[in-house]
Amino acid sequence: MALVIATALAVGIAPAVLGGAPAAAGPALAGAATEGVLVVQEGGPLVVPSGEEGAVTTRIKVTLPAGLSGPVRARLLLPDPTWELPDFDTPAYEPVTATCAVNSGVFWSCPWDSPGNEVVFPAVEASQTVTYDVRVNADSRAAVMGNLTASLEVTGADGAVIGRAPIAFHFVKGTPENYLRTTVLARDKAGVLWQYPSSGRDDTPLRARQRIGGGWNAYTSLTSLTHRTAAGEGDLVARDKTGVLWYYKGSGNPAAPFKSRVRVGGGWNAYTAITGRGGGLVARDRDGVLWIHAPNDGENSSEPFAPRRRVGGGWNTYTAIVGQGSGYNAVARDTSGVLWSYGYGFENGTGPYSPRRKVGGGWNAYNALTWAQNLNSHGRNDLVARDKEGRMWLYETISTNYGAVPVSSRKQIGWGWGIYDAIL
């Protein structure tokens, strides 16, 4: 009996639609002989977005020779991993969740990290054609897998291999999961707080806004304490008009990202600027003295900060001081519009920040500055600035010993933001 093995390439046909049915078959590289076995990956290589897009499916069609009888078995042989995941000790195939089906039957779990890196399909009785569906869902970590070529091996009733062909998967960057993406918060002049979840995309890094709730014009200052995510994580504090500070803990619910507020204490009207640092706060008083309120250990949200400690004077030279909240870097703009960068300073005994380094001039063109971590595909903690015409600009940064420093030309990421009186 002659044996012919072929794969199919898609010609003018897109890969399987995300989460949809398998794509129609493309033409095979070669036709099968009368008594041959043809193994075809319909639609060609399966493109797998690594992120929150959901599962995609590839169908493998096996055409058996006439007269073949008895049970037919198949297994998908996966290559030995050559990549390393960001969390190192994690099994290389853990980012992949796979289910499989035979002859359009019920899907069952077919893990890729099984012993020997192989998926064994149940035996079926030989017929003219047998189909094997492999549905793949991959999280963001799987992007490092790149182009992966497995092999489908088909055996007959006697256990001899009667067909084998390469099965290709192309793992590409998708949309990061919501816990890996941030949100930008903005309060409008009516006191409504809105959130803009990041998309993880470079071309449109912000998604459409979502309403959080009203009444936020009761506050004269809003400050992020920890990194916010589109999964509803991240804490903030708000100072009301009487000088009382309130603590809002992240809820973990994207639709309602904050729990009910908890009173921290009064007297915070003594400060003309408040910003986040490493889960705590730094605050400037009316005399230009900077104070640090380090975070308290534990989960007591009514006492989130240790007693304040004096940093030093002279901070009235700045018209804006913007810390990273969960991080330790800060930028400050002086009265002439020059932006200065401050890095982490405890290691060298300089206090909460290292000696400042000049970033550049012209920053008085902006009336709002904030940090946004994981806003686009680069995953950095970048600067976002609003100009006086209401346009939003993104400056990608890198972290250095002197803080986070812009490394790219600005990129416009929005307009119409002049309706907001607070952005964080």
Side-chain angles (χ1 to χ4, degrees):
M1 178 176 67
L3 175 64
V4 178
I5 303 168
T7 59
L9 295 179
V11 177
I13 301 176
V17 176
L18 301 186
L29 288 178
T34 303
E35 297 181 349
V37 174
L38 183 67
V39 180
V40 174
Q41 182 179 16
E42 295 186 346
L46 181 68
V47 177
V48 183
S50 302
E52 65 176 19
E53 279 80 0
V56 291
T57 304
T58 189
R59 168 163 288 181
I60 307 161
K61 182 178 179 181
V62 178
T63 303
L64 299 173
L68 184 67
S69 62
V72 173
R73 294 175 172 83
R75 58 178 183 160
L76 184 69
L77 305 175
L78 298 158
D80 291 333
T82 58
W83 56 89
E84 193 172 77
L85 296 178
D87 33 9
F88 302 111
D89 294 334
T90 302
Y93 280 113
E94 184 177 284
V96 174
T97 301
T99 56
C100 298
V102 181
N103 288 337
S104 300
V106 176
F107 278 86
W108 47 275
S109 176
C110 52
W112 283 18
D113 56 359
S114 59
N117 297 329
E118 68 176 14
V119 173
V120 179
F121 292 89
V124 294
E125 190 64 25
S127 59
Q128 183 179 2
T129 61
V130 180
T131 60
Y132 299 95
D133 291 333
V134 181
R135 181 175 293 165
V136 180
N137 195 359
D139 68 36
S140 297
R141 298 170 297 169
V144 300
M145 295 166 61
N147 295 335
L148 182 151
T149 301
S151 176
L152 187 83
E153 182 180 273
V154 184
T155 57
D158 60 358
V161 176
I162 59 174
R164 184 187 291 114
I167 307 299
F169 301 88
H170 293 174
F171 289 88
V172 299
K173 278 188 177 181
T175 302
E177 293 79 7
N178 59 8
Y179 69 90
L180 294 175
R181 294 183 283 109
T182 191
T183 60
V184 175
L185 300 183
R187 181 186 63 190
D188 67 24
K189 294 171 184 177
V192 176
L193 191 65
W194 301 85
Q195 63 178 345
Y196 288 81
S198 65
S199 67
R201 295 169 56 98
D202 294 331
D203 54 349
T204 54
L206 291 175
R207 291 183 173 178
R209 71 179 188 174
Q210 302 166 352
R211 191 180 193 271
I212 293 176
W216 289 80
N217 50 3
Y219 300 119
T220 59
S221 176
L222 299 172
T223 304
S224 291
L225 281 181
T226 57
H227 172 53
R228 288 193 312 274
T229 73
E233 301 164 327
D235 309 337
L236 63 79
V237 291
R239 180 187 64 192
D240 67 23
K241 295 172 183 177
T242 68
V244 175
L245 195 70
W246 300 88
Y247 181 93
Y248 286 86
K249 187 170 182 61
S251 67
N253 177 4
F258 299 112
K259 296 182 178 180
S260 298
R261 68 181 189 174
V262 176
R263 190 181 192 272
V264 176
W268 288 79
N269 271 344
Y271 298 122
T272 60
I274 302 172
T275 193
R277 183 192 180 278
L281 297 173
V282 290
R284 179 188 64 193
D285 66 22
R286 290 183 174 84
D287 296 323
V289 175
L290 196 69
W291 301 84
I292 183 169
H293 295 259
N296 250 341
D297 293 332
E299 294 293 325
N300 187 357
S301 57
S302 64
E303 296 182 4
F305 309 115
R308 72 176 189 175
R309 182 171 58 81
R310 189 180 193 273
V311 175
W315 287 77
N316 270 343
T317 187
Y318 297 121
T319 59
I321 304 169
V322 187
Q324 285 183 334
S326 59
Y328 294 93
N329 298 318
V331 291
R333 181 187 60 202
D334 66 24
T335 53
S336 64
V338 174
L339 193 70
W340 302 85
S341 176
Y342 287 88
Y344 183 58
F346 278 122
E347 296 103 331
N348 52 30
T350 61
Y353 298 119
S354 62
R356 70 179 189 175
R357 288 297 180 99
K358 184 178 180 180
V359 175
W363 287 79
N364 49 9
Y366 302 117
N367 55 25
L369 291 171
T370 190
W371 294 96
Q373 185 175 349
N374 297 338
L375 190 65
N376 57 17
S377 67
H378 301 290
R380 301 189 184 106
N381 209 339
D382 296 329
L383 272 174
V384 177
R386 180 187 65 188
D387 67 23
K388 296 172 183 177
E389 286 73 44
R391 294 170 297 191
M392 287 285 278
W393 302 89
L394 173 68
Y395 288 86
E396 293 181 4
T397 69
I398 59 170
S399 293
T400 71
N401 293 335
Y402 314 110
V405 178
V407 294
S408 68
S409 300
R410 69 179 187 174
K411 175 183 177 181
Q412 186 174 345
I413 60 172
W415 57 88
W417 285 67
I419 63 175
Y420 300 119
D421 61 12
I423 300 172
L424 64 153

